[in-house]
Amino acid sequence: MGTVCLLGVFHQLKLIDTPIKLNFLKLITRVSLLSGTEICGLGTKSSLFFLKNMAPDKKTGFLIDPLDYFHIFKKSKLDFCFHSHPEGSCEPSSMDVEMSRNALIDFLVFSVRDKKFSLYSPVSEETIYFSI
């Protein structure tokens, strides 16, 4: 199990190296709660990119178009990939962990059901859990 922390109103998440702004977390939460399917996208220090979920079953998985990934990757330093779990916990699935390791990018997961986040780091191989 990872570290659990509560994110304060004006604080950036300090237990990790990934810069995720509080307003990004709030936006991901809002979009996830309205969607009904898994949302997905990429984050940089200053931008969020909501991308179309290309997965065949958007309730249980997500897939980002490689061309979308490449276009953002060549313009910006990617800090994290994000997606939601509409019906499950925020615990990263084995597929989330594998994709994070393959891409060498942190994975942020939001649980719509529990209204909590997790962030998995492929470098430290640790997951932290938090809510806002």
Side-chain angles (χ1 to χ4, degrees), residues 28-95:
I28 291 168
T29 299
R30 248 181 286 143
V31 172
S32 297
L33 292 171
L34 294 172
S35 176
T37 61
E38 282 201 30
I39 66 155
C40 58
L42 300 168
T44 69
K45 188 174 184 173
S46 60
S47 300
L48 277 183
F49 299 90
F50 286 87
L51 301 173
K52 182 177 180 181
N53 184 349
M54 305 292 291
D57 183 357
K58 294 167 183 52
K59 287 241 182 219
T60 61
F62 82 98
L63 180 63
I64 292 174
D65 184 326
L67 288 176
D68 289 342
Y69 180 91
F70 178 72
H71 288 296
I72 296 167
F73 177 80
K74 73 179 185 177
K75 293 180 182 179
S76 305
K77 179 196 174 293
L78 297 178
D79 290 313
F80 61 96
C81 175
F82 65 88
H83 69 282
S84 62
H85 287 173
E87 298 174 0
S89 77
C90 65
E91 183 172 350
S93 68
S94 58
M95 181 62 82

